[in-house]
Amino acid sequence: MSLPHGIRTLGVLGAGQMGLGIAFVAALRARVPVLLHDRSPEQVTKGLALMDKLLAKDVAKGRITSDAAKDARGLVTVVDGLEGLRDVDMVVEAVSEALPLKQSIFGSFAATLRPDAILASNTSSISITKIAAAAIPEGVSPASEAGKQSAGRVVGLHFFNPVPVMKLVELISALQTTPETLDRARAFAIACGKEVTTSKDVPGFVSNALLMPFINEAIMCLEKGTATRDDIDTTLKLGMNHPMGPLQLADFIGLDTCLAIQQTLYEGTRDSKYRPSVLLERMVDAQWYGRKNGKGFYEYDGDGAKS
Ligand code: 3HC
């Protein structure tokens, strides 16, 4: 293996904003061929169009040459089904935040991918240990050498949105993760141009265990009438130099995603400081998911401009 991470081909499962962003930095920065799969062809088309737009902008701003953009785009191939990922050296799962879905996907990875492939999840808060426990082929005991080896290649690789811009990747070790898996995943994130911090496998890891109570507290301020939406956001933007206020950030992340993370935190800790606000629950009940579908604390037009 000449590369420190040994990743000659990367699989990315999910072509939403996170999966697409991960494919983008892997192709452009780490220069690794990427096989991309999403069960929704519309999502793939939307994702690739965004990638073309981002590459064109980087060329226009003189950050990369048009040849580098062409090379990066040429490294991304769309594949049908999980079977298309069979021969990758590493896969990053970036589907929605639901444990049963992730368990089923990692079970399929264990059954179909090479036994030495690294299996990474971009989950925001779900236990990597629980996901790793599902990544063992049927009939193999988790306590056997084969079981430990299979679960030992699972790791949390938590990118931040928007992936091309945000400089951090949070690396999470499951109870089962081997040191070699951690080292290779870290080297891969660095090759993608990211700084890496490490967290234990606790609900929300470091990032969301700190961010979600902050966002939730802002929503409760709004709920209680402490201040208006704009005054809450402006206070944090101008008073603390945050690039976005907490309500705008919640919309940006997705209110459904914020709620799913907060529920994982609350269920995982039983600590009332993580209890989601009723207003957030009601907004998700109303299917107001934030920027992604045009309505959250703010309203968004087709280009994502807010009012
Ligand atoms: N994809 C790619 N690039 C994007 C982008 C996107 N979705 N949105 C913005 N950008 C790029 C712009 O193209 C622009 O690039 P340029 O410098 O080449 O022109 C650059 O980001 C700055 O964008 P803008 O000038 O349009 O706007 P801002 O200066 O307001 O920056 C922002 C936009 C980078 C999104 C900034 O507002 C920000 O940093 N917000 C906070 C983001 C944040 O906290 N993210 C973490 C969320 S938590 C998370 O992801 C974890 C999960 O588990 C919940």
Side-chain angles (χ1 to χ4, degrees), residues 17-18 24 50 54 57-58 61 63 97 122-125 158-166 170 207-208 211-212 215 242-244 248-249 252-253 257-258 261 291:
Q17 50 188 6
M18 298 308 290
F24 178 87
L50 175 63
L54 293 174
K57 187 196 68 181
D58 279 350
K61 293 206 162 188
R63 291 196 192 117
E97 285 293 274
N122 180 55
T123 180
S124 308
S125 60
H158 182 203
F159 287 81
F160 292 79
N161 186 23
V163 179
V165 179
M166 304 305 281
E170 195 176 31
S207 54
N208 280 316
L211 177 63
M212 285 301 150
I215 285 179
H242 288 197
M244 285 175 170
Q248 189 189 351
L249 181 57
F252 184 69
I253 293 168
T257 305
C258 287
I261 298 171
R291 198 170 117 141

